[in-house]
Structure formats: structure tokens, C-alpha cells
Amino acid sequence: MHQTNFIVREPLLDPKQRVIGYELSWQQSGAAASTDAQLEELIGFVAAQLVDDERGWLLRDKLLFLDAVPAMLSTDALFSMPPEFTVLSIRSAELHNRDTLAAVRGLRAGGVGISLREAPAALLSKNLAAIASYVEVRFTGADVAAQARVFSALKQSSVRMVGRPVATWADFDACAALGLDAFVGKLHLTPRGGDAPVKGMNPAQTIILQLMQMVNQNADIKHLENALKRDAALSYKLLRFINSASFGLGAEVQSLRQALALLGYAPLYRWLTLLLATASTSGYSPVLMETAVVRGRLAELLGVGALGKHEAENLFVAGMFSLLDRLLGLPMKEVLETIQLPSEVVEALLTRGGKYGPYLALAEACELNSNLVSSLAASLKFSPLDVNKAHLSALAWAQSIAT
């Protein structure tokens, strides 16, 4: 499969700020829209990467929104996708064509989601359940709250409304108060909470950072065990992690010392990095946390071929730490003062320079409709197909480790 374009993802949040899905699209150059053939290629590629013969849908409970045109409604690849997690987004004007309307009704009857774009208010007041599961509402101008109220009055229990663009958390809150879901664009990179800086870390974060320091210094397992015992919740999480199906151990591990010995230093450090993100309470944001995990994994997958496994582990840490300032509510410089990291990781975090910087910058650029993706990929000698495969693999991995 030869690809010339890059996949861009945008998270969809429910009113409780949880990530319930993603829209995947091709990066748009200027105002150019994707062609029918490109859209058909996208759904085929997604089906090949995210539907596994044995494990099924690799995004677990996440919905996937994909732009659609009438010709795509009968493409073979569509029938490889799980209908309950697939939502095709189509312009409402396309439904004037009888064949298209019949195809949409057939897909809805089969459980495939349909999201209507550019729906006029007159259409919103009708019963849409047979042809749509979502209606996308576009906000124009500044007063999103007033517009959200108008749309909310037309809301139907069986059809969910999705708002966009949502540029601030105040706009998101206006949508959420009225029960609207929302595509959040770049907003997912902005922490919640007020402007007042958060002072210090919570106790869980402090212990996790101490353990990371100890692992960095190759501390004796006995000392690691003693540190872990100071936090019952952390000890419980480690035992649950080591006994999870992914390890495939024959017998249950009940001792912390045995768990640490089985896990090893590098995997333990990686696990602690993930935990540090989830231990945040200030400005807590599920979407920011998931973005950090995807970014870390994507940076790792991009770097493993050229740099090797050990260096790729460092890239994972760099990707995770690149959002830690926002997750912890601390300036990046202060975050970096709390733990010793390899100098190359620090350089990547502060300037996106050095050996790791370009890989981290590329992983970041994949979150936005940015022209940087193409130039960064070219500088690292990656094809669009290389980047797109790694991107979807990272997205799937983030779901697999979600608790």
C-alpha cells in the first residue's frame, strides 16, 4: 500500500471529559479536501491496522469517526469494521439522493453509526433516529454557550449531538452542561483548572518519583520493596500489573520482592512513568493523560528501528514527560529538577533538539493538522506509511494498557 498523506486524529470527549472516540482523517493541505479514493483508502487502512483476527477491535470501547462520501457507503473495507464502534460522517445534503439515503438507512439498521454534518435546523427538529446516531453542530463566532442552548433545545434522546469547533474549556463546559459531546481539536493539549500555579506534588507522585530515582541508580530490590511498602495503593497496583493477563504467569505473584524481580528495572521504570501521569489530581484531564501515553508510545515506535530498544525506551519516557508539566501543574524546568534523566531526554524536552528531539516533535505533530509532519518524517527518512502504521499502533497500545 503506497500512501502519500499522513493521518491526523482529533479526540471526542463526552460531557464528563472522557475520551469516547477519535476522528481520523487525512492531513489537509490548505483547503484541499480528501478525494473519494483517499477516503476509501483510509477506511481500508484503518480496518487492516485496528481489527485483529484474534483480539478483535484494538481500540476497545472507543468510537472511530471517519469522513464519508456516498461511494464509500458500500466499500468492502467498511464491512471489516465493527459496526458498533464505526461512525461515518456524511454531509446531510447527500441524503437528498435516494440511493444514498437507502444506503444510510441500511447501515444504520446494521448498527453502523452515521454522523450528519451541515444539518439545517429544520432537519434537526425531525425524527432522525433511522438515519443518524450523531448530528454535528458547528459553532460560529464567540458565544458558543448561546448557540449550544439553541442546539440543545432540538436534542433528541436517540441522536447525540457533537459540537465543534470547541476552542476553550469554557466552551466545552457550555456544551457539557447541555449534554453535548465535543470534538476538542487542540484543546486537549490545554490543562484544566485556573491560572494559579499548583505548588508541589501530591504524596503519590512524590513516592513514584523517588522510586524512579532509585531505579535510575540501580538500587537494590530490597530498598525498592521498602519504598513501595510505604504506599499500599502503589503496592496493590504493582501486584495487579504483574498478575495481569499480559504477563501470562502460571501462578499468582503475591510478594512485592518477587514482582520487582520478575519485572526488571527498565520495565519498572516505564510502568512508573505511566503511573506518574495517572497520579495527577491538579488539572486532571483524562484526554491529556491519554495523549501523553499515545505520544510516548509513538515516539518509541518511531525510534526503535534506527536507535534500538534501549534508546526507544528513553523516547517513551521523553514522550510521556513532554506533557508532564501540564499533567502535574508544574513548569517543565521544575519537573526536570525532581528527577535525573539522560541528558538527551532533557534536551529533547526543553528544545526538541539532540538525538531524540525530532522523534518527539514528529509524535507531537501527528496530534495536529500540521505541515511539520511531512518535513519531520522526511528528515528522519520515514514514509507516510511508516508513520501512519506507528500512529495507529500507538493508539491501540494506549487502549490496551488502560485500566
Side-chain angles (χ1 to χ4, degrees):
M1 183 182 290
H2 178 70
Q3 289 177 3
T4 58
N5 207 344
F6 296 89
I7 287 174
V8 177
R9 75 179 188 275
E10 183 175 359
L12 174 68
L13 305 192
D14 71 2
K16 293 183 179 176
Q17 209 192 320
R18 295 172 302 202
V19 185
I20 57 170
Y22 288 96
E23 181 178 77
L24 294 186
S25 57
W26 293 121
Q27 181 186 329
Q28 303 299 331
S29 301
S34 300
T35 65
D36 293 10
Q38 285 175 322
L39 292 173
E40 204 162 329
E41 181 192 15
L42 179 60
I43 196 169
F45 181 67
V46 166
Q49 300 299 313
L50 296 179
V51 182
D52 184 86
D53 289 342
E54 293 180 1
R55 292 176 291 161
W57 181 233
L58 298 183
L59 296 191
R60 290 177 67 173
D61 59 348
K62 293 285 198 295
L63 297 166
L64 211 53
F65 283 66
L66 297 160
D67 270 358
V69 287
M72 247 181 74
L73 300 178
S74 57
T75 184
D76 289 343
L78 178 56
F79 300 99
S80 302
M81 296 283 286
E84 67 273 30
F85 298 117
T86 305
V87 183
L88 299 180
S89 180
I90 192 163
R91 290 174 56 245
S92 60
E94 303 281 12
L95 301 184
H96 296 318
N97 181 295
R98 285 185 180 182
D99 292 340
T100 302
L101 182 59
V104 164
R105 286 181 183 276
L107 289 170
R108 283 297 300 124
V112 176
I114 297 290
S115 178
L116 294 183
R117 298 196 313 272
E118 301 170 22
L123 184 61
L124 296 182
S125 61
K126 296 179 180 176
N127 183 7
L128 296 174
I131 56 171
S133 43
Y134 294 85
V135 174
E136 183 181 300
V137 296
R138 301 288 304 194
F139 300 123
T140 55
D143 198 350
V144 167
Q147 294 171 74
R149 281 193 294 275
V150 172
F151 288 123
S152 179
L154 301 169
K155 195 167 62 173
Q156 302 170 29
S157 59
S158 57
V159 180
R160 294 171 75 167
M161 287 195 170
V162 177
R164 78 185 331 165
V166 178
T168 68
W169 283 115
D171 289 351
F172 173 82
D173 289 339
C175 292
L178 297 164
L180 273 65
D181 299 326
F183 280 112
V184 295
K186 297 179 183 179
L187 183 59
H188 69 288
L189 298 177
T190 306
R192 294 293 318 235
D195 297 326
V198 179
K199 298 292 183 187
M201 298 190 186
N202 64 39
Q205 291 163 350
T206 304
I207 289 180
I208 292 167
L209 278 169
Q210 285 171 356
L211 281 163
M212 291 174 79
Q213 292 283 45
M214 292 170 75
V215 172
N216 259 342
Q217 294 158 4
N218 291 316
D220 189 89
I221 282 180
K222 180 182 169 185
H223 295 140
L224 289 170
E225 180 190 18
N226 289 337
L228 264 171
K229 282 179 176 174
R230 287 161 38 210
D231 189 313
L234 201 54
S235 300
Y236 167 75
K237 285 177 182 175
L238 176 61
L239 289 172
R240 190 176 66 174
F241 177 61
I242 200 78
N243 287 312
S244 65
S246 58
F247 278 90
L249 301 174
E252 185 174 346
V253 176
Q254 296 179 332
S255 135
L256 283 176
R257 189 172 298 195
Q258 188 185 3
L260 290 166
L262 282 167
L263 195 55
Y265 285 93
L268 176 60
Y269 191 90
R270 179 195 188 91
W271 178 71
L272 289 167
T273 304
L274 282 166
L275 270 192
L276 190 60
T278 60
S280 167
T281 49
S282 58
Y284 175 74
S285 167
V287 65
L288 197 58
M289 201 169 69
E290 188 163 312
T291 301
V293 175
V294 176
R295 186 185 291 183
R297 180 62 170 170
L298 178 50
E300 177 185 27
L301 290 173
L302 291 168
V304 71
L307 303 178
K309 189 173 186 300
H310 174 68
E311 304 265 38
E313 288 275 359
N314 283 340
L315 274 169
F316 175 79
V317 172
M320 287 290 299
F321 269 62
S322 67
L323 283 167
L324 214 51
D325 53 340
R326 281 168 257 189
L327 280 162
L328 300 181
L330 294 167
M332 181 59 78
K333 188 171 180 294
E334 199 171 321
V335 172
L336 295 177
E337 285 169 359
T338 61
I339 187 164
Q340 288 180 319
L341 292 169
S343 58
E344 294 98 331
V345 173
V346 172
E347 188 177 1
L349 289 170
L350 292 177
T351 67
R352 300 301 183 262
K355 190 195 313 185
Y356 299 151
Y359 293 94
L360 176 56
L362 177 54
E364 282 179 300
C366 286
E367 297 157 14
L368 308 166
N369 195 5
S370 165
N371 291 327
L372 279 175
V373 180
S374 180
S375 56
L376 285 166
S379 72
L380 293 167
K381 298 184 169 52
F382 288 128
S383 70
L385 182 60
D386 295 331
V387 176
N388 292 337
K389 278 188 170 181
H391 192 163
L392 294 190
S393 179
L395 201 56
W397 187 81
Q399 314 315 313
S400 75
I401 59 132
T403 53

